[in-house]
Amino acid sequence: MAETLDSALKRELHAVLDSRPVTEAELRRLFEEGRACALILAGQLEKEERRLASLSAESAAPFTELAATLRRVNELRPDLEELHGLLGALDARARQLRASWAST
């Protein structure tokens, strides 16, 4: 199975949070990629939620389409929440690293 953009980014974020050495440039790149990925996931989630609302309002909507859309919403939401959590933790780790760099 092909690795998704957010899973590759999350793997990298976990490595940095697990104390993998990182440079300032890498920290900035991870923040930029993380924010971009979060925007993409948020857009996908919003689109699927609108689709779900539309299908729910449609009395003749196929159940399989409704179920598939609900499944995508239920997959995207925790992915986005996890990514936000990782970015918050990265921010804290970056502060620690920058403080240690400044003191040396």
Side-chain angles (χ1 to χ4, degrees), residues 43-57:
Q44 290 174 338
L45 179 58
E46 185 179 318
K47 175 186 168 198
E48 294 299 333
E49 286 175 335
R50 281 193 315 264
R51 178 77 179 133
L52 186 59
S54 172
L55 287 169
S56 296

Side-chain angles (χ1 to χ4, degrees), residues 17-48:
L17 295 173
D18 290 337
S19 301
R20 176 180 66 87
V22 66
T23 64
E24 178 66 26
E26 288 176 298
L27 285 173
R28 290 179 189 206
R29 179 186 58 80
L30 284 171
F31 276 117
E32 288 174 11
E33 288 180 9
R35 287 185 197 115
C37 190
L39 287 171
I40 291 167
L41 287 175
Q44 290 174 338
L45 179 58
E46 185 179 318
K47 175 186 168 198
E48 294 299 333

Side-chain angles (χ1 to χ4, degrees), residues 4 13 17 42 48 69 93:
T4 63
L13 288 169
L17 295 173
E48 294 299 333
T69 305
R93 176 86 173 118

